Amino acid sequence: MFNALIVDKDEDGKTQSQVTQIALTDLPEAEVTVAVEYSTVNYKDGLCLGPGGGLVRKYPHIPGIDFAGTVEASSDTRYKPGDKVVLTGWRVGEAHWGGYAQKARVRADWLGPLPEGLSTRQAMAVGTAGFTAMLCVMALEDHGMQPGHGPVLVTGAAGGVGSVATAILANLGYEVAAVTGRPEADDYLRSLGAAQIVAREDLSDVTRKPLESETWAGCVDAVGGAMLGRVLKQMKYGASVAAVGLAGGAAIEGALITPFILRGVNLLGIDSVMRPYADRARAWERIARDLPMDKLETMVTPATLSDLPALGRDILAGQVKGRIVVDVNA
Ligand code: NDP
């Protein structure tokens, strides 16, 4: 028997979650059984810990969209007992049982080896949010972003994606402008390497202006909504925005076609969930190389399985700073 955070839904559609003991035989059929060491809390976990946001299909459910641990048993030749592994995406924790348990059983295709140079704890300090931040930086580089071209904007900067993006970009020599709605996060963001702090309200009004002054040489956008509509109009000629999230809304309010046709601005969609294996390996290698581990450590708040229901509510309310690392065995 082992501990798992089980979410269940009653007849009125209300969800409750609690740490419960379950058996290995309760886990779904799949090739690889993993002794989970660490998981984390991403925005999507907040949705899956609550009413589900349409992501969870079947209850009872174990959320946790990512985890790192050690293989216990495998019927797939790619993995053997003792291998250290990491998992992000593939709808694990949404459509499939996830990492909020001491053990998980998943398809071998969904796993990757723990990146060289990272511990399981560090891999989950990065987690889906940090992994996706790296995918954003790589997409922006592929579209010509280089240090010295001007400030690079990071929205939702004190959150998970934003914190890791800020630290990676600053370490690569970019001048990072960090957008936050939390003035108290100023020192934290500067410690990650932000050169300037932009108040959320400076970018949250919807405007019908076709263009604003050319300001940003790139942008990692975790917020979407009206902020993305504004930011597009402030991009420098030929610059790109990596659109990764919707913490501020799914509709790009106030967006016009003008930045695309008059300034050649690119809007790059970033998905981490179904990302092919080769890209994943490249992103984890870059994380091990380009994300300073001392900076990563300053983002971490430790947690246990029983802390998760409250943390799920906090992340949906935009109240989580940086990254949470869940020790599922604590
Ligand atoms: P967090 O909650 O950690 O960060 C989101 C941040 O956005 C908050 O910390 C806050 O930053 C800011 N924010 C929150 N609400 C608002 C609002 N109403 N208006 C403006 N800003 C707001 O979440 P994550 O970093 O884990 O995820 C960020 C987004 O990226 C989510 O939408 C998530 O679903 C998405 N995502 C997408 C992935 C993909 O594959 N495409 C993978 C991972 C995440 P501050 O306080 O600094 O203003």
Side-chain angles (χ1 to χ4, degrees):
M1 301 295 282
F2 58 90
N3 290 332
L5 192 276
I6 306 263
V7 181
D8 214 344
K9 206 173 211 172
D10 64 23
E11 282 160 10
D12 302 330
K14 281 187 89 179
T15 50
Q16 309 90 26
S17 45
Q18 61 178 5
V19 180
T20 310
Q21 287 258 302
I22 62 168
L24 265 181
T25 47
D26 293 324
L27 290 176
E29 285 295 308
E31 300 97 345
V32 189
T33 306
V34 179
V36 179
E37 289 163 24
Y38 296 98
S39 185
T40 173
V41 182
N42 301 277
Y43 190 86
K44 238 186 201 176
D45 291 313
L47 296 173
C48 296
L49 280 159
L55 299 172
V56 179
R57 293 286 154 81
K58 227 172 104 206
Y59 292 89
H61 178 67
I62 300 179
I65 66 165
D66 42 19
F67 63 80
T70 306
V71 171
E72 231 176 47
S74 173
S75 61
D76 186 286
T77 51
R78 283 171 289 178
Y79 295 101
K80 58 178 188 323
D83 287 349
K84 296 282 184 191
V85 287
V86 63
L87 183 147
T88 71
W90 303 113
R91 306 214 57 216
V92 170
E94 311 170 37
H96 315 281
W97 279 11
Y100 291 167
Q102 290 176 301
K103 294 185 199 294
R105 197 177 284 136
V106 292
R107 290 185 47 193
D109 285 347
W110 299 339
L111 289 167
L114 184 71
E116 213 165 300
L118 293 189
S119 65
T120 48
R121 184 176 176 280
Q122 285 168 327
M124 281 304 104
V126 174
T128 299
F131 169 73
T132 312
M134 188 75 242
L135 292 176
C136 292
V137 173
M138 287 161 59
L140 293 171
E141 289 173 343
D142 289 347
H143 284 79
M145 185 182 74
Q146 282 176 25
H149 285 184
V152 174
L153 197 69
V154 175
T155 70
V161 173
S163 293
V164 177
T166 298
I168 292 172
L169 287 164
N171 187 51
L172 290 170
Y174 291 93
E175 180 192 335
V176 178
V179 185
T180 186
R182 290 182 267 185
E184 68 278 14
D186 190 318
D187 287 348
Y188 165 73
L189 290 167
R190 288 188 191 279
S191 77
L192 297 181
Q196 59 170 293
I197 308 295
V198 179
R200 185 191 292 178
E201 55 267 26
D202 290 351
L203 288 172
S204 44
D205 286 347
V206 175
T207 149
R208 297 305 296 172
K209 282 186 193 164
L211 292 169
E212 298 186 55
S213 2
E214 290 185 51
T215 310
W216 316 114
C219 173
V220 174
D221 176 49
V223 169
M227 192 174 291
L228 178 54
R230 279 299 288 285
V231 167
L232 284 166
K233 297 173 190 176
Q234 299 180 358
M235 299 306 293
K236 285 180 183 281
Y237 190 91
S240 304
V241 177
V244 60
L246 41 59
I252 312 177
E253 291 158 45
L256 296 175
I257 205 76
T258 37
F260 305 111
I261 61 172
L262 298 180
R263 287 199 183 141
V265 168
N266 305 301
L267 181 56
L268 313 174
I270 304 298
D271 169 61
S272 64
V273 178
M274 306 308 287
R275 200 75 176 197
Y277 186 86
D279 273 6
R280 288 172 186 266
R282 199 160 68 92
W284 278 113
E285 264 171 41
R286 288 284 310 268
I287 286 164
R289 195 181 80 199
D290 296 330
L291 173 62
M293 290 299 136
D294 56 338
K295 296 255 165 44
L296 179 66
E297 194 53 43
T298 67
M299 299 175 203
V300 170
T301 304
T304 64
L305 287 178
S306 54
D307 297 327
L308 286 167
L311 289 170
R313 290 189 288 275
D314 288 350
I315 200 160
L316 294 183
Q319 294 303 318
V320 166
K321 191 181 84 181
R323 302 282 303 128
I324 291 163
V325 174
V326 182
D327 180 347
V328 301
N329 299 300

